[in-house]
Amino acid sequence: MAPIVRSLLETDLYKFTMWQALLHSHPNSHTEYEFVCRNSPVFPLAELKDAVERELDHLCSMAFAEDELDYLRSLRYIKSDFVDFLTVFRFQRKFIRVSAEGDTLRIHAAGPQVHVMAFEIFVLYIVNELYFRRFDGAAALAEGRARLDDKIAALRAFGQQPALRHPFEFSDFGVRRRFSAAWHEEVVFRLAQEVPQYFKGTSNVYLAKRFGLVPIGTMAHEYMQSFQAFGVRLRDFQKAALEAWVQEYRGDLGVALTDVVGMDAFLDDFDLYFAKLFDGLRHDSGDPVVWGEKALAHYAALRIDGNTKRLVFSDGLDLERAFALYRHFAGRIMTGFGIGTNLTNDVGLTPLNIVMKLVACNGQSVAKLSDSPGKTLCKDETFLAYLRQVFKHPA
């Protein structure tokens, strides 16, 4: 069969934006990333080891095509020197290792951050596609198309309801856990054709280029976590990360991620300076209503009109949940919704809950203290306890 990765452009936009920022600010950092499956697959993922190895061999043989580099140059926030770096960039096979421990698939990437950070999304959708190839693809696609029809009908019905102050807008965030590349492409194409008034873009840069859509994304947890090991006082790492982002993008890509050490600790650092400079906030763990109300109260306390800001929700959403959050908030603040697995892997099979997370930077552990306890990931319990103490985060 054809290799799974068809273009180095087929990854989330925020991998490029974080990559550029870290290349400019901390080009010498060394990092480690680990693959984790949070749920129980139907068959052991260790059975995929040899196939994953072959796909990674192929990935490490690839380069960016000229038209892909030209596309990246066309994005105003992507700088010329970063594209020049990508012109000569190749994934190095020596930086990523695959093994099997019993039924568990282990994938570990370690090396210079600017050479290993981009493995993440490719690894995740390689594992996903290899896994789902073992199921009845025709039946899954038939079910997926029926469910997609229902989603499009629901969007059209939603459009008949009274409008709120701000419009309903959502984007595809589904590359990492998709059923397959072909299905992902079909979903994005149909949404762009049939409900363009609601569907505003995709995190998949390859599909954004192919279909003339807006590529969507700013930062992920790994960007913020890296600053835990960049030599600033631990208590100040969020402010250092946000400041570095402001200096890199100077008004572009202004949505900040809030849950690296919890929303309360984030808001302690998100003062008037940052609240004015950033366009909005992204939710990725914890109760979204509680989170959104905290954000609105924070803006109000700073005497900032919520209607000038945006809340982006991206934690395990489906359309019904997005509709409910929109109705709750859109009269007071702009909203946006990033829907992933429920768009690109809603085919009647249980999706894999897989991640590949940053676990160490410059020889020390880093961690995320999620507002959803199951999302906390750190091997170093001592560092985790210290992080909780510093940020007064509940255990």
PDB file of all heavy atoms in Angstrom, residues 48-75:
ATOM      1  N   LEU A  48       1.634  -3.485  15.738  1.00  0.00           N
ATOM      2  CA  LEU A  48       1.884  -2.543  14.648  1.00  0.00           C
ATOM      3  C   LEU A  48       3.346  -2.136  14.545  1.00  0.00           C
ATOM      4  O   LEU A  48       3.714  -1.364  13.647  1.00  0.00           O
ATOM      5  CB  LEU A  48       1.033  -1.278  14.840  1.00  0.00           C
ATOM      6  CG  LEU A  48      -0.486  -1.460  14.908  1.00  0.00           C
ATOM      7  CD1 LEU A  48      -1.148  -0.123  15.191  1.00  0.00           C
ATOM      8  CD2 LEU A  48      -1.016  -2.054  13.612  1.00  0.00           C
ATOM      9  N   LYS A  49       4.189  -2.636  15.432  1.00  0.00           N
ATOM     10  CA  LYS A  49       5.569  -2.146  15.524  1.00  0.00           C
ATOM     11  C   LYS A  49       6.296  -2.142  14.185  1.00  0.00           C
ATOM     12  O   LYS A  49       6.855  -1.122  13.774  1.00  0.00           O
ATOM     13  CB  LYS A  49       6.356  -2.978  16.534  1.00  0.00           C
ATOM     14  CG  LYS A  49       7.832  -2.589  16.616  1.00  0.00           C
ATOM     15  CD  LYS A  49       8.612  -3.521  17.520  1.00  0.00           C
ATOM     16  CE  LYS A  49      10.107  -3.204  17.515  1.00  0.00           C
ATOM     17  NZ  LYS A  49      10.725  -3.383  16.182  1.00  0.00           N
ATOM     18  N   ASP A  50       6.320  -3.260  13.486  1.00  0.00           N
ATOM     19  CA  ASP A  50       7.087  -3.342  12.243  1.00  0.00           C
ATOM     20  C   ASP A  50       6.535  -2.389  11.184  1.00  0.00           C
ATOM     21  O   ASP A  50       7.303  -1.750  10.450  1.00  0.00           O
ATOM     22  CB  ASP A  50       7.085  -4.772  11.708  1.00  0.00           C
ATOM     23  CG  ASP A  50       7.880  -5.723  12.591  1.00  0.00           C
ATOM     24  OD1 ASP A  50       8.659  -5.236  13.446  1.00  0.00           O
ATOM     25  OD2 ASP A  50       7.711  -6.953  12.441  1.00  0.00           O
ATOM     26  N   ALA A  51       5.226  -2.282  11.119  1.00  0.00           N
ATOM     27  CA  ALA A  51       4.620  -1.375  10.142  1.00  0.00           C
ATOM     28  C   ALA A  51       4.925   0.083  10.476  1.00  0.00           C
ATOM     29  O   ALA A  51       5.195   0.893   9.581  1.00  0.00           O
ATOM     30  CB  ALA A  51       3.108  -1.597  10.072  1.00  0.00           C
ATOM     31  N   VAL A  52       4.892   0.412  11.765  1.00  0.00           N
ATOM     32  CA  VAL A  52       5.244   1.775  12.185  1.00  0.00           C
ATOM     33  C   VAL A  52       6.694   2.073  11.807  1.00  0.00           C
ATOM     34  O   VAL A  52       7.012   3.165  11.307  1.00  0.00           O
ATOM     35  CB  VAL A  52       5.020   1.958  13.698  1.00  0.00           C
ATOM     36  CG1 VAL A  52       5.611   3.288  14.175  1.00  0.00           C
ATOM     37  CG2 VAL A  52       3.534   1.889  14.026  1.00  0.00           C
ATOM     38  N   GLU A  53       7.575   1.111  12.016  1.00  0.00           N
ATOM     39  CA  GLU A  53       8.989   1.294  11.655  1.00  0.00           C
ATOM     40  C   GLU A  53       9.123   1.623  10.165  1.00  0.00           C
ATOM     41  O   GLU A  53       9.862   2.540   9.779  1.00  0.00           O
ATOM     42  CB  GLU A  53       9.783   0.018  11.980  1.00  0.00           C
ATOM     43  CG  GLU A  53       9.814  -0.355  13.452  1.00  0.00           C
ATOM     44  CD  GLU A  53      11.088   0.099  14.145  1.00  0.00           C
ATOM     45  OE1 GLU A  53      11.671   1.107  13.703  1.00  0.00           O
ATOM     46  OE2 GLU A  53      11.467  -0.547  15.133  1.00  0.00           O
ATOM     47  N   ARG A  54       8.400   0.890   9.318  1.00  0.00           N
ATOM     48  CA  ARG A  54       8.488   1.133   7.871  1.00  0.00           C
ATOM     49  C   ARG A  54       7.968   2.530   7.515  1.00  0.00           C
ATOM     50  O   ARG A  54       8.545   3.226   6.670  1.00  0.00           O
ATOM     51  CB  ARG A  54       7.705   0.063   7.104  1.00  0.00           C
ATOM     52  CG  ARG A  54       8.348  -1.321   7.105  1.00  0.00           C
ATOM     53  CD  ARG A  54       7.684  -2.246   6.104  1.00  0.00           C
ATOM     54  NE  ARG A  54       6.290  -2.511   6.435  1.00  0.00           N
ATOM     55  CZ  ARG A  54       5.880  -3.504   7.227  1.00  0.00           C
ATOM     56  NH1 ARG A  54       6.773  -4.306   7.794  1.00  0.00           N
ATOM     57  NH2 ARG A  54       4.594  -3.702   7.450  1.00  0.00           N
ATOM     58  N   GLU A  55       6.872   2.922   8.148  1.00  0.00           N
ATOM     59  CA  GLU A  55       6.316   4.239   7.860  1.00  0.00           C
ATOM     60  C   GLU A  55       7.265   5.351   8.316  1.00  0.00           C
ATOM     61  O   GLU A  55       7.382   6.390   7.650  1.00  0.00           O
ATOM     62  CB  GLU A  55       4.947   4.400   8.522  1.00  0.00           C
ATOM     63  CG  GLU A  55       3.880   3.458   7.981  1.00  0.00           C
ATOM     64  CD  GLU A  55       3.464   3.767   6.545  1.00  0.00           C
ATOM     65  OE1 GLU A  55       3.710   4.908   6.072  1.00  0.00           O
ATOM     66  OE2 GLU A  55       2.897   2.874   5.893  1.00  0.00           O
ATOM     67  N   LEU A  56       7.941   5.160   9.430  1.00  0.00           N
ATOM     68  CA  LEU A  56       8.902   6.161   9.890  1.00  0.00           C
ATOM     69  C   LEU A  56      10.117   6.215   8.968  1.00  0.00           C
ATOM     70  O   LEU A  56      10.676   7.296   8.729  1.00  0.00           O
ATOM     71  CB  LEU A  56       9.326   5.867  11.325  1.00  0.00           C
ATOM     72  CG  LEU A  56       8.263   6.122  12.393  1.00  0.00           C
ATOM     73  CD1 LEU A  56       8.764   5.681  13.764  1.00  0.00           C
ATOM     74  CD2 LEU A  56       7.853   7.596  12.437  1.00  0.00           C
ATOM     75  N   ASP A  57      10.529   5.066   8.459  1.00  0.00           N
ATOM     76  CA  ASP A  57      11.614   5.062   7.467  1.00  0.00           C
ATOM     77  C   ASP A  57      11.230   5.938   6.272  1.00  0.00           C
ATOM     78  O   ASP A  57      12.046   6.719   5.769  1.00  0.00           O
ATOM     79  CB  ASP A  57      11.909   3.642   6.991  1.00  0.00           C
ATOM     80  CG  ASP A  57      12.571   2.777   8.056  1.00  0.00           C
ATOM     81  OD1 ASP A  57      13.098   3.347   9.036  1.00  0.00           O
ATOM     82  OD2 ASP A  57      12.546   1.540   7.902  1.00  0.00           O
ATOM     83  N   HIS A  58       9.998   5.783   5.810  1.00  0.00           N
ATOM     84  CA  HIS A  58       9.524   6.600   4.683  1.00  0.00           C
ATOM     85  C   HIS A  58       9.482   8.082   5.062  1.00  0.00           C
ATOM     86  O   HIS A  58       9.942   8.944   4.294  1.00  0.00           O
ATOM     87  CB  HIS A  58       8.131   6.143   4.240  1.00  0.00           C
ATOM     88  CG  HIS A  58       7.474   7.090   3.291  1.00  0.00           C
ATOM     89  ND1 HIS A  58       7.897   7.245   1.986  1.00  0.00           N
ATOM     90  CD2 HIS A  58       6.446   7.963   3.459  1.00  0.00           C
ATOM     91  CE1 HIS A  58       7.155   8.163   1.388  1.00  0.00           C
ATOM     92  NE2 HIS A  58       6.264   8.607   2.257  1.00  0.00           N
ATOM     93  N   LEU A  59       8.937   8.389   6.248  1.00  0.00           N
ATOM     94  CA  LEU A  59       8.857   9.778   6.689  1.00  0.00           C
ATOM     95  C   LEU A  59      10.240  10.427   6.675  1.00  0.00           C
ATOM     96  O   LEU A  59      10.390  11.582   6.250  1.00  0.00           O
ATOM     97  CB  LEU A  59       8.264   9.830   8.100  1.00  0.00           C
ATOM     98  CG  LEU A  59       8.217  11.198   8.778  1.00  0.00           C
ATOM     99  CD1 LEU A  59       7.263  12.138   8.055  1.00  0.00           C
ATOM    100  CD2 LEU A  59       7.801  11.050  10.251  1.00  0.00           C
ATOM    101  N   CYS A  60      11.242   9.689   7.112  1.00  0.00           N
ATOM    102  CA  CYS A  60      12.587  10.249   7.202  1.00  0.00           C
ATOM    103  C   CYS A  60      13.278  10.362   5.842  1.00  0.00           C
ATOM    104  O   CYS A  60      14.384  10.908   5.756  1.00  0.00           O
ATOM    105  CB  CYS A  60      13.441   9.416   8.159  1.00  0.00           C
ATOM    106  SG  CYS A  60      12.885   9.557   9.886  1.00  0.00           S
ATOM    107  N   SER A  61      12.631   9.896   4.795  1.00  0.00           N
ATOM    108  CA  SER A  61      13.169  10.054   3.438  1.00  0.00           C
ATOM    109  C   SER A  61      12.567  11.258   2.720  1.00  0.00           C
ATOM    110  O   SER A  61      12.983  11.594   1.609  1.00  0.00           O
ATOM    111  CB  SER A  61      12.876   8.790   2.612  1.00  0.00           C
ATOM    112  OG  SER A  61      11.488   8.722   2.254  1.00  0.00           O
ATOM    113  N   MET A  62      11.605  11.923   3.352  1.00  0.00           N
ATOM    114  CA  MET A  62      10.819  12.957   2.680  1.00  0.00           C
ATOM    115  C   MET A  62      11.428  14.349   2.880  1.00  0.00           C
ATOM    116  O   MET A  62      12.147  14.596   3.834  1.00  0.00           O
ATOM    117  CB  MET A  62       9.374  12.953   3.201  1.00  0.00           C
ATOM    118  CG  MET A  62       8.637  11.651   2.943  1.00  0.00           C
ATOM    119  SD  MET A  62       6.952  11.662   3.623  1.00  0.00           S
ATOM    120  CE  MET A  62       6.152  12.827   2.493  1.00  0.00           C
ATOM    121  N   ALA A  63      11.085  15.230   1.947  1.00  0.00           N
ATOM    122  CA  ALA A  63      11.468  16.642   2.020  1.00  0.00           C
ATOM    123  C   ALA A  63      10.270  17.487   1.605  1.00  0.00           C
ATOM    124  O   ALA A  63       9.323  16.992   0.976  1.00  0.00           O
ATOM    125  CB  ALA A  63      12.657  16.921   1.101  1.00  0.00           C
ATOM    126  N   PHE A  64      10.302  18.761   1.974  1.00  0.00           N
ATOM    127  CA  PHE A  64       9.250  19.674   1.540  1.00  0.00           C
ATOM    128  C   PHE A  64       9.409  19.964   0.050  1.00  0.00           C
ATOM    129  O   PHE A  64      10.521  20.193  -0.437  1.00  0.00           O
ATOM    130  CB  PHE A  64       9.330  20.992   2.318  1.00  0.00           C
ATOM    131  CG  PHE A  64       8.836  20.894   3.728  1.00  0.00           C
ATOM    132  CD1 PHE A  64       9.717  20.642   4.770  1.00  0.00           C
ATOM    133  CD2 PHE A  64       7.491  21.059   4.019  1.00  0.00           C
ATOM    134  CE1 PHE A  64       9.271  20.559   6.083  1.00  0.00           C
ATOM    135  CE2 PHE A  64       7.029  20.972   5.329  1.00  0.00           C
ATOM    136  CZ  PHE A  64       7.923  20.719   6.365  1.00  0.00           C
ATOM    137  N   ALA A  65       8.289  19.969  -0.672  1.00  0.00           N
ATOM    138  CA  ALA A  65       8.294  20.324  -2.086  1.00  0.00           C
ATOM    139  C   ALA A  65       8.309  21.846  -2.233  1.00  0.00           C
ATOM    140  O   ALA A  65       7.917  22.582  -1.320  1.00  0.00           O
ATOM    141  CB  ALA A  65       7.057  19.748  -2.774  1.00  0.00           C
ATOM    142  N   GLU A  66       8.744  22.320  -3.376  1.00  0.00           N
ATOM    143  CA  GLU A  66       8.863  23.765  -3.586  1.00  0.00           C
ATOM    144  C   GLU A  66       7.527  24.479  -3.452  1.00  0.00           C
ATOM    145  O   GLU A  66       7.446  25.576  -2.888  1.00  0.00           O
ATOM    146  CB  GLU A  66       9.472  24.048  -4.960  1.00  0.00           C
ATOM    147  CG  GLU A  66      10.980  23.885  -5.026  1.00  0.00           C
ATOM    148  CD  GLU A  66      11.722  24.770  -4.031  1.00  0.00           C
ATOM    149  OE1 GLU A  66      11.366  25.955  -3.883  1.00  0.00           O
ATOM    150  OE2 GLU A  66      12.659  24.263  -3.375  1.00  0.00           O
ATOM    151  N   ASP A  67       6.452  23.864  -3.983  1.00  0.00           N
ATOM    152  CA  ASP A  67       5.148  24.534  -3.884  1.00  0.00           C
ATOM    153  C   ASP A  67       4.659  24.583  -2.430  1.00  0.00           C
ATOM    154  O   ASP A  67       3.940  25.516  -2.045  1.00  0.00           O
ATOM    155  CB  ASP A  67       4.109  23.860  -4.776  1.00  0.00           C
ATOM    156  CG  ASP A  67       3.793  22.439  -4.344  1.00  0.00           C
ATOM    157  OD1 ASP A  67       4.737  21.642  -4.159  1.00  0.00           O
ATOM    158  OD2 ASP A  67       2.601  22.111  -4.186  1.00  0.00           O
ATOM    159  N   GLU A  68       5.079  23.608  -1.623  1.00  0.00           N
ATOM    160  CA  GLU A  68       4.724  23.620  -0.201  1.00  0.00           C
ATOM    161  C   GLU A  68       5.473  24.732   0.534  1.00  0.00           C
ATOM    162  O   GLU A  68       4.895  25.448   1.362  1.00  0.00           O
ATOM    163  CB  GLU A  68       5.035  22.260   0.418  1.00  0.00           C
ATOM    164  CG  GLU A  68       4.186  21.133  -0.157  1.00  0.00           C
ATOM    165  CD  GLU A  68       4.638  19.762   0.282  1.00  0.00           C
ATOM    166  OE1 GLU A  68       5.794  19.613   0.723  1.00  0.00           O
ATOM    167  OE2 GLU A  68       3.823  18.823   0.183  1.00  0.00           O
ATOM    168  N   LEU A  69       6.745  24.898   0.208  1.00  0.00           N
ATOM    169  CA  LEU A  69       7.521  25.971   0.811  1.00  0.00           C
ATOM    170  C   LEU A  69       6.979  27.335   0.394  1.00  0.00           C
ATOM    171  O   LEU A  69       6.902  28.268   1.200  1.00  0.00           O
ATOM    172  CB  LEU A  69       8.994  25.831   0.422  1.00  0.00           C
ATOM    173  CG  LEU A  69       9.693  24.570   0.953  1.00  0.00           C
ATOM    174  CD1 LEU A  69      11.038  24.377   0.262  1.00  0.00           C
ATOM    175  CD2 LEU A  69       9.878  24.635   2.460  1.00  0.00           C
ATOM    176  N   ASP A  70       6.575  27.439  -0.866  1.00  0.00           N
ATOM    177  CA  ASP A  70       5.989  28.692  -1.345  1.00  0.00           C
ATOM    178  C   ASP A  70       4.694  28.998  -0.595  1.00  0.00           C
ATOM    179  O   ASP A  70       4.410  30.162  -0.272  1.00  0.00           O
ATOM    180  CB  ASP A  70       5.717  28.622  -2.845  1.00  0.00           C
ATOM    181  CG  ASP A  70       6.989  28.623  -3.679  1.00  0.00           C
ATOM    182  OD1 ASP A  70       8.057  28.989  -3.138  1.00  0.00           O
ATOM    183  OD2 ASP A  70       6.927  28.230  -4.867  1.00  0.00           O
ATOM    184  N   TYR A  71       3.912  27.964  -0.330  1.00  0.00           N
ATOM    185  CA  TYR A  71       2.668  28.170   0.419  1.00  0.00           C
ATOM    186  C   TYR A  71       2.969  28.689   1.822  1.00  0.00           C
ATOM    187  O   TYR A  71       2.332  29.636   2.300  1.00  0.00           O
ATOM    188  CB  TYR A  71       1.878  26.863   0.489  1.00  0.00           C
ATOM    189  CG  TYR A  71       0.628  26.981   1.340  1.00  0.00           C
ATOM    190  CD1 TYR A  71      -0.512  27.591   0.848  1.00  0.00           C
ATOM    191  CD2 TYR A  71       0.616  26.500   2.653  1.00  0.00           C
ATOM    192  CE1 TYR A  71      -1.651  27.727   1.638  1.00  0.00           C
ATOM    193  CE2 TYR A  71      -0.519  26.631   3.451  1.00  0.00           C
ATOM    194  CZ  TYR A  71      -1.643  27.239   2.927  1.00  0.00           C
ATOM    195  OH  TYR A  71      -2.767  27.386   3.719  1.00  0.00           O
ATOM    196  N   LEU A  72       3.935  28.076   2.497  1.00  0.00           N
ATOM    197  CA  LEU A  72       4.292  28.537   3.835  1.00  0.00           C
ATOM    198  C   LEU A  72       4.788  29.984   3.799  1.00  0.00           C
ATOM    199  O   LEU A  72       4.447  30.788   4.674  1.00  0.00           O
ATOM    200  CB  LEU A  72       5.350  27.620   4.449  1.00  0.00           C
ATOM    201  CG  LEU A  72       4.868  26.215   4.828  1.00  0.00           C
ATOM    202  CD1 LEU A  72       6.051  25.339   5.225  1.00  0.00           C
ATOM    203  CD2 LEU A  72       3.847  26.271   5.951  1.00  0.00           C
ATOM    204  N   ARG A  73       5.562  30.329   2.785  1.00  0.00           N
ATOM    205  CA  ARG A  73       6.031  31.711   2.662  1.00  0.00           C
ATOM    206  C   ARG A  73       4.869  32.690   2.488  1.00  0.00           C
ATOM    207  O   ARG A  73       4.975  33.861   2.863  1.00  0.00           O
ATOM    208  CB  ARG A  73       6.982  31.853   1.465  1.00  0.00           C
ATOM    209  CG  ARG A  73       8.338  31.239   1.651  1.00  0.00           C
ATOM    210  CD  ARG A  73       9.242  31.550   0.456  1.00  0.00           C
ATOM    211  NE  ARG A  73      10.358  30.635   0.363  1.00  0.00           N
ATOM    212  CZ  ARG A  73      11.494  30.743   1.049  1.00  0.00           C
ATOM    213  NH1 ARG A  73      11.649  31.757   1.873  1.00  0.00           N
ATOM    214  NH2 ARG A  73      12.456  29.850   0.899  1.00  0.00           N
ATOM    215  N   SER A  74       3.763  32.210   1.937  1.00  0.00           N
ATOM    216  CA  SER A  74       2.623  33.097   1.687  1.00  0.00           C
ATOM    217  C   SER A  74       1.867  33.450   2.973  1.00  0.00           C
ATOM    218  O   SER A  74       1.049  34.379   2.966  1.00  0.00           O
ATOM    219  CB  SER A  74       1.657  32.446   0.687  1.00  0.00           C
ATOM    220  OG  SER A  74       0.889  31.410   1.318  1.00  0.00           O
ATOM    221  N   LEU A  75       2.102  32.720   4.053  1.00  0.00           N
ATOM    222  CA  LEU A  75       1.456  33.011   5.331  1.00  0.00           C
ATOM    223  C   LEU A  75       2.236  34.123   6.013  1.00  0.00           C
ATOM    224  O   LEU A  75       3.430  33.982   6.280  1.00  0.00           O
ATOM    225  CB  LEU A  75       1.423  31.754   6.206  1.00  0.00           C
ATOM    226  CG  LEU A  75       0.755  30.529   5.573  1.00  0.00           C
ATOM    227  CD1 LEU A  75       0.884  29.313   6.493  1.00  0.00           C
ATOM    228  CD2 LEU A  75      -0.708  30.794   5.257  1.00  0.00           C
TER     229      LEU A  75
END
